[in-house]
Amino acid sequence: MSNILEVNKVVKQYGDYTALNEVSLTVPKGSIYGLLGPNGAGKTSLIRIINQITMPDGGDVILDGEKLKPEHVAVIGYMPEERGLYKTMKVGEQCLYLAQLKGLSKQEAKQQLDYWFERLEIQGWWNKKIQELSKGMAQKIQFVVTVLHKPKLLILDEPFSGFDPVNANLIKDEIIELNKQGTSVIFSTHRMESVEEMCDYIALIHKSNKLIEGKLIDVKKKFRSNSYEVGILSDNIEGLMYDLSQKFTLSQTDFKSLNDELKLEINLGNATPNDLLNTLVQRGQVTHFVEKIPSMNDIFIKTVSEK
Amino acid sequence: MSKTLLIIKREFVAKVRNKSFIVMTFLSPLLFVAIGVFVGYLSTMKAELKTIAIHDETGRFVNEFKTDQEYKYVDLSQVDLKTLKDSIVSESYEGLLIIPKLDDNAKLQKGIQYVSNDSPSVSFTEDLEDIIAKKITAENFQKAGLDTLKINNAKADVSIYLEKASGEQALKGLNEIKIIIGGAFGYLIMMFIILYGNMVMRSVIEEKTSRIIEVIISSVKPFQLMMGKIIGTSLAGILQFLIWAVLGLSAMFILSGMLGVHMGASGAAGAQAVEAAQHSGSDIQMYIKELWNLPIATILISFIIYFIGGYFLYSSFYASIGAAVDNETDSQQFLLPIIMPLILGVYIGFFTVMNDPHGTIATVFSMIPLTSPIVMMMRIPFGVPTWQIIVSMLILFGTFLGVVWFAAKIYRVGILMYGKKPSWKELAKWLRY
């Protein structure tokens, strides 16, 4: 079994409103999977179904080869977008309680807690109440609570919101470390940089439907426009422009460089990169030649606004 | 440990550790005692002496009015009316009684006046009327040539001897004692339901507003959470009552030891027994015996069962209300229909059960699950057939199962809904999600 999670044609309706319309996903084991979509797309509905907080009206969910059942809550770690802890409960007691609810024994929970508190350097917080902690500190506790029971599948809804850059980085490293140890991670986020940086796979949900799914790199290939960013130093700019416009579509662009060169974005159409290079080298000194890779942000906006 | 047990434990500990719980538990008995002492002190305080001026033109009545602790009567028949009325306005006297000079008693009856700034109390007016009427009656007897002595001797004073079918002597005022005992238990149930139902609701709202709810229900079923919360809170309540019971009992022992009061007189028999004791010494023993003859075991067992049943039933309502709203202010519109039957139960208990403990109304309301814990508790001291109690309990717990099913549905949907105050219509819609 190579998939940790398979979602098959899941339907969820609230009255007349369809929150999920036959959505299917496949999350390979050991991957970091980005679940993307604008607000109200149905991400949270889907995540709640995976967590068995709500039941689907149709379709099914297979977790690690088995149909979803109540015992599975012990192998999933879930951090909701709306973070929450008991404000008046002490940190240590609260973590123990939540870990025990996930099925850990008290001793196991304590061991794990000691490990994580030491790792995140928060040993002194055991007897503090949540309301005495800052928002960022509470987020750390929330993360610990999510991973305490060594879940096979980690579901994180906007994991970096509320963290300062230092702590966000710390948590990011922890997530990557857990992933290396074999934990599969599902990420729901708007922050496209972190998707580019961390995800192997992505799915885009929009208006209750899944629009894109696949390896990040495959998705990007699908959205490549065959355009190149070119920088060239030339004495005869007019001649160069004439040559280029005969064969390609051009537009002015800008990128950082140390030279005062002509910067162009060139769409190859049916030509090959070598055709372009040949044309360029005849007219001047090429300083920059890079394929324009669509960013996740571009893909997201393009897909969402098309529909 | 099962998850529900964990939740029960957490809820219990959270409630018991709460400062307000500790304060409530130890302060409210003190407060009760303080209020009792205060009321007692007030009732021993003498009222201010009021002076009543009497202007008796006939001269026949003025001596009938005897000054007592509350009222002082002054004979001002010689002073003219105008001056007297002015002195009333200037508040030198509380009131002025004017008896005009009319020879005909029939006319005199209607001709008497009382002038005052504040309207007099009903009992005071009645007292005045009584005194004058007695005098006039006596005069009428004389005029008619009747011998007042003979008439007085001919008056009979009837006091019916009460006996039960079993042959023992029955006591007057026992019904009052029974309603006091039943009422105390019924009232206790109502108080507990409102107090602790509210606690359940607040705790649900707290989980909702702190947003921990989603973390919890990704680990446990909403139903487990709801039941754990209800049971945990009820255990905290039971602990509180146990502490009160222990405190109350030890206070009573200490007090009676200190004052050397006979336990029977100061204890459960209450005011009636004290009053009876003044009439005859043996009555008090009979009252105590009667009290022991009450179905004490039935009362206590039923109390616990109705207590649990009623509390569970109502706190499922409270829990689902807590889930439906975002803050306590929004809960008011849903709370009213819940508190109404409780209050109705207490009213029916005190008015209907007291007059007719086994009448149709009392019987019906002791079967309806929303009122049965209160009404039946008030009926039981009067002796209720066991089958009725059992049927009423079965209905109560059956209803609880049904209500919990509905409540769990609303709860399940409600805890994940934020931002808007739902209407009744919406709640009904949630049942179908």
Side-chain angles (χ1 to χ4, degrees), chain A residues 14-15 48 51 53 73 78 80 82-87 89 93-94 97-98 100-102 142, chain B residues 1 3 6-7 9-11 17 206-207 210-212 214-221 416 433:
Chain A
Y14 295 106
R48 281 180 179 166
N51 277 298
I53 291 171
V73 296
Y78 172 42
E82 298 279 2
R83 310 295 153 71
L85 295 163
Y86 288 109
K87 289 197 173 56
M89 218 173 161
E93 278 174 13
Q94 177 145 233
Y97 172 63
L98 293 172
Q100 280 174 285
L101 283 188
K102 277 287 186 191
Q142 193 98 45
Chain B
M1 207 176 345
K3 290 180 181 178
L6 272 169
I7 297 168
K9 199 177 131 203
R10 194 206 84 84
E11 292 296 329
R17 269 208 208 143
E206 189 211 320
E207 275 174 4
S210 75
R211 311 272 169 156
I212 193 170
E214 204 162 340
V215 176
I216 304 248
I217 57 171
S218 69
S219 307
V220 301
K221 294 248 161 294
L416 295 173
Y433 278 178

Side-chain angles (χ1 to χ4, degrees), chain A residues 129-265:
Chain A
K129 285 181 180 170
I130 294 293
Q131 58 192 9
E132 298 165 16
L133 301 181
S134 74
K135 199 181 165 200
M137 289 158 101
Q139 298 261 43
K140 268 191 185 175
I141 302 292
Q142 193 98 45
F143 179 76
V144 170
V145 163
T146 312
V147 297
L148 212 49
H149 57 290
K150 297 185 193 160
K152 282 191 211 166
L153 175 62
L154 205 53
I155 302 177
L156 308 168
D157 205 343
E158 293 293 348
F160 303 118
S161 71
F163 280 115
D164 59 67
V166 177
N167 279 324
N169 222 35
L170 186 83
I171 295 299
K172 194 183 86 190
D173 291 346
E174 291 303 331
I175 294 171
I176 289 171
E177 179 59 34
L178 282 169
N179 180 248
K180 272 187 196 152
Q181 290 166 12
T183 312
S184 313
V185 181
I186 295 179
F187 230 10
S188 161
T189 186
H190 304 297
R191 282 186 30 171
M192 296 302 149
E193 330 81 276
S194 52
V195 174
E196 307 250 4
E197 208 179 327
M198 295 174 72
C199 294
D200 316 321
Y201 290 80
I202 64 133
L204 180 68
I205 298 180
H206 181 49
K207 290 190 177 158
S208 318
N209 288 289
K210 183 188 78 183
L211 299 183
I212 306 173
E213 184 188 14
K215 270 192 164 164
L216 182 68
I217 200 158
D218 293 343
V219 171
K220 288 203 164 189
K221 273 184 191 157
K222 208 178 129 205
F223 277 82
R224 87 201 300 185
S225 54
N226 216 14
S227 291
Y228 283 76
E229 278 178 343
V230 170
I232 184 164
L233 292 165
S234 172
D235 299 334
N236 185 357
I237 289 179
E238 272 173 31
L240 169 71
M241 292 298 271
Y242 179 77
D243 282 359
L244 288 172
S245 60
Q246 290 299 90
K247 298 177 187 161
F248 313 105
T249 333
L250 310 177
S251 59
Q252 286 280 346
T253 188
D254 197 22
F255 47 82
K256 286 192 180 105
S257 76
L258 300 174
N259 301 311
D260 191 18
E261 72 262 80
L262 177 64
K263 293 166 184 171
L264 295 171
E265 183 180 330

